[in-house]
């Protein structure tokens, strides 16, 4: 399935505290509060140990922040702007607040479910309780003709479950969706969900044959490791006809969808990109069962 649940990754610990590493590869300094430059997707807070590597640009404290510990590798830089403050805490302050300043609120990386519904639509569920002073933004990116295309972030207000319409990221390879919790433009945490590979969407809200290219967005029949999405546009019945051998990396059916496989028809699902490299180069692929795949045949 394409529904992906993401939460904070397993973290390194030191004496029971989370270790959060700064990993900016840019030579210029960046704000300490920019979660995308920290290993967890969120800036370190009062019970974390911040680690700055020697081969990275310097984090700049441009607000009021605090951590449980700070480790600088030899040659690493760390800057504090005039008028800003940085505290080292022996124990976390009450409720994770530092000096009572809004930009010191501990801001964990978003915990989200993301499901592609169409080539340009994603359904997003926020699994966190989002504080009122936190802005929720959603952005996307994808590969097109060897270039990484970055979409503009859009703000979402007052919803924990919603659909977002983009340009067309899921028509191209390696699409990703990023959910960002922001306090200011330089103080935020983020989670990026990668949808590796190619996603192929059913074209029209009407029944049709799987092996007919005119039924698919982009007019290409899914094959091999492609991720197939039968979306909620209508009540569709997609049929794999007798004698057809078709394949996919996964199939997601959203809403009132039906997939019928006639006797003599074969659908091969390849897991973990397990399709043979030359499978989709054949005009009429002959699908064979390997240890990486399973074959399911049903009668209608």
């Amino acid at each position: 399935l394409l529904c992906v649940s993401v939460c904070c990754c397993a973290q390194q610990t030191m004496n029971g505290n989370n270790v959060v590493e700064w990993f900016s590869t840019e030579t210029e300094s960046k704000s300490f509060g920019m979660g995308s430059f920290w290993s967890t997707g969120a800036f370190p807070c009062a019970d974390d140990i911040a680690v700055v590597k020697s081969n990275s640009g310097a984090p700049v404290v441009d607000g009021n922040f605090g951590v449980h510990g700070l480790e600088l590798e030899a040659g690493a830089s760390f800057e504090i702007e005039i008028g800003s403050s940085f505290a080292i805490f022996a124990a976390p302050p009450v409720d994770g607040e530092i000096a009572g300043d809004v930009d010191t609120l501990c801001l964990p990386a978003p915990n989200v479910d993301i499901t592609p519904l169409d080539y340009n639509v994603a359904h997003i569920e926020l699994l966190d309780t989002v504080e009122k002073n936190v802005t929720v933004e959603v952005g996307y990116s994808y590969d097109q003709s060897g270039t990484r295309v970055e979409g503009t972030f859009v703000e979402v207000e007052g919803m924990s479950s919603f659909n977002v319409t983009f340009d067309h990221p899921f028509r191209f390879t390696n699409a990703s969706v990023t959910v960002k919790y922001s306090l200011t433009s330089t103080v935020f945490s983020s989670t990026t969900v990668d949808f590796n590979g190619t996603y192929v969407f059913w074209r029209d809200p009407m029944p049709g044959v799987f092996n007919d290219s005119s039924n698919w967005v982009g007019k290409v029949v899914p094959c091999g490791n492609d991720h197939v999405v039968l979306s909620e546009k209508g009540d569709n019945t997609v049929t794999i006809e007798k004698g057809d051998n078709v394949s996919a990396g996964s199939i997601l059916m959203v809403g009132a969808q039906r997939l019928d496989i006639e006797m003599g028809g074969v659908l091969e699902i390849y897991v973990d990109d397990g399709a043979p490299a030359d499978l989709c180069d054949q005009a009429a692929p002959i699908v064979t069962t390997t240890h990486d795949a399973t074959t399911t045949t049903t009668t209608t």
Side-chain angles (χ1 to χ4, degrees):
L1 295 183
L2 305 188
C3 180
V4 181
S5 178
V6 176
C7 59
C8 296
C9 300
Q11 300 175 344
Q12 292 178 287
T13 60
M14 183 184 299
N15 297 325
N17 298 99
N18 293 326
V19 174
V20 185
E21 294 185 355
W22 177 264
F23 66 99
S24 168
T25 56
E26 300 185 25
T27 55
E28 64 181 58
S29 300
K30 295 291 184 182
S31 171
F32 182 95
M34 299 180 73
S36 55
F37 288 108
W38 293 99
S39 58
T40 60
F43 60 86
C45 199
D47 57 353
D48 298 325
I49 296 174
V51 177
V52 181
K53 301 291 188 179
S54 59
N55 59 349
S56 63
V60 178
V61 175
D62 53 359
N64 299 313
F65 297 95
V67 297
H68 181 70
L70 175 64
E71 180 180 311
L72 303 179
E73 288 191 349
S77 299
F78 185 82
E79 304 173 13
I80 302 177
E81 288 187 349
I82 294 175
S84 297
S85 65
F86 187 78
I88 305 293
F89 292 98
V94 177
D95 297 328
E97 295 182 358
I98 308 166
D101 195 287
V102 66
D103 65 359
T104 64
L105 177 70
C106 295
L107 199 62
N111 184 10
V112 295
D113 279 344
I114 301 178
T115 306
L117 298 183
D118 209 334
Y119 68 89
N120 63 344
V121 179
H123 178 72
I124 298 176
E125 297 265 355
L126 303 181
L127 305 181
D128 309 299
T129 298
V130 182
E131 300 295 333
K132 291 182 179 179
N133 60 330
V134 173
T135 300
V136 180
E137 299 175 278
V138 181
Y140 66 91
S141 60
Y142 56 88
D143 291 340
Q144 183 178 13
S145 303
T147 301
R148 191 66 180 171
V149 178
E150 303 283 344
T152 302
F153 276 85
V154 295
E155 184 176 336
V156 181
E157 295 185 2
M159 293 178 288
S160 61
S161 177
F162 52 89
N163 293 346
V164 177
T165 301
F166 304 116
D167 256 349
H168 39 225
F170 300 116
R171 289 185 65 176
F172 300 100
T173 58
N174 300 322
S176 65
V177 176
T178 298
V179 178
K180 183 189 294 185
Y181 291 167
S182 302
L183 292 170
T184 71
S185 61
T186 59
V187 180
F188 62 84
S189 65
S190 62
T191 293
T192 298
V193 179
D194 295 320
F195 298 92
N196 297 320
T198 302
Y199 293 79
V200 186
F201 296 81
W202 190 250
R203 185 180 182 87
D204 295 312
M206 61 181 63
V209 176
F210 189 104
N211 212 20
D212 183 346
S213 61
S214 66
N215 288 325
W216 299 98
V217 172
K219 296 188 177 181
V220 175
V221 175
C223 180
N225 298 317
D226 289 343
H227 303 292
V228 173
V229 182
L230 307 179
S231 71
E232 59 183 357
K233 287 181 176 180
D235 187 355
N236 304 320
T237 298
V238 178
T239 302
I240 298 172
E241 295 183 317
K242 178 180 179 180
D244 283 348
N245 296 286
V246 298
S247 57
S250 66
I251 295 181
L252 173 66
M253 296 192 292
V254 182
Q257 312 301 319
R258 178 186 172 97
L259 179 64
D260 286 348
I261 306 176
E262 295 180 349
M263 182 174 289
V266 175
L267 167 64
E268 188 111 3
I269 301 295
Y270 290 95
V271 297
D272 299 327
D273 294 333
D278 61 347
L279 175 66
C280 301
D281 295 334
Q282 305 171 44
I286 305 298
V287 179
T288 56
T289 301
T290 71
H291 68 282
D292 292 317
T294 57
T295 302
T296 303
T297 305
T298 62
T299 305
T300 59

